[in-house]
Amino acid sequence: MRRLAYVFVFALLVTMLSAGKADAGFEWCSEDPTFVVNGNVIDINTTFLAKYASSVKGPVVVELLVPSNAIAAVLTLPGTVPVEGKITKSLPRWWGLLNMPVVARVTVNATGSFDTYTRAIGTGLWLTTTVNGKSNQTTSDKFYLLLP
């Protein structure tokens, strides 16, 4: 019993003494509406420094371009700034078994100019990259769904 008490006190001391000031670095603002395309859940994640959140005017517009025969919908629109999600069936009809193309277009309307970063995350995605952009310009990210 005494050993258990010593272990407990030692663990408590190590925890208390090793705790230091948290240094998280930059704060980020992340706008990430969720879409569903032919059963695949897609999260379009757009990030920018949180200090620019107050300069965002109007909604962050996230438009998903899909083939005209795709079944697509906007699932959620969370965010610290207003977000607008759109589905546009403007790509040619897709009849393949793999690699259905999808394009995400993101526009962050703001009073100033700052860097943005957009990435598609989700089920059935491959060949995704982080696309660098600027506020007040439309950023496009093309990716492919494995199983359309």
Side-chain angles (χ1 to χ4, degrees):
M1 184 69 168
R2 186 174 234 164
R3 287 183 184 169
L4 183 61
Y6 286 137
V7 169
F8 178 72
V9 170
F10 179 72
L12 184 63
L13 286 173
V14 168
T15 303
M16 296 301 287
L17 293 176
S18 65
K21 184 177 131 185
D23 186 17
F26 296 109
E27 284 188 44
W28 292 92
C29 191
S30 178
E31 305 309 322
D32 53 344
T34 306
F35 300 87
V36 63
V37 178
N38 286 3
N40 295 293
V41 178
I42 302 168
D43 180 34
I44 306 299
N45 188 286
T46 299
T47 58
F48 50 88
L49 288 175
K51 68 181 181 180
Y52 298 119
S54 62
S55 71
V56 174
K57 301 299 176 201
V60 173
V61 180
V62 181
E63 181 180 19
L64 208 62
L65 283 64
V66 298
S68 60
N69 59 339
I71 299 170
V74 180
L75 291 180
T76 61
L77 293 172
T80 54
V81 297
V83 180
E84 179 183 338
K86 293 182 183 179
I87 301 282
T88 304
K89 295 184 175 186
S90 62
L91 299 180
R93 295 177 71 83
W94 182 255
W95 298 106
L97 295 176
L98 300 172
N99 301 336
M100 182 173 84
V102 177
V103 177
R105 295 186 346 178
V106 179
T107 306
V108 179
N109 297 309
T111 56
S113 179
F114 52 86
D115 294 327
T116 63
Y117 307 94
T118 301
R119 181 179 178 100
I121 306 165
T123 60
L125 293 179
W126 71 292
L127 295 180
T128 62
T129 57
T130 300
V131 177
N132 299 340
K134 287 275 190 193
S135 60
N136 301 315
Q137 298 176 357
T138 300
T139 303
S140 293
D141 185 9
K142 185 174 184 176
F143 52 92
Y144 297 91
L145 297 177
L146 285 176
L147 300 172

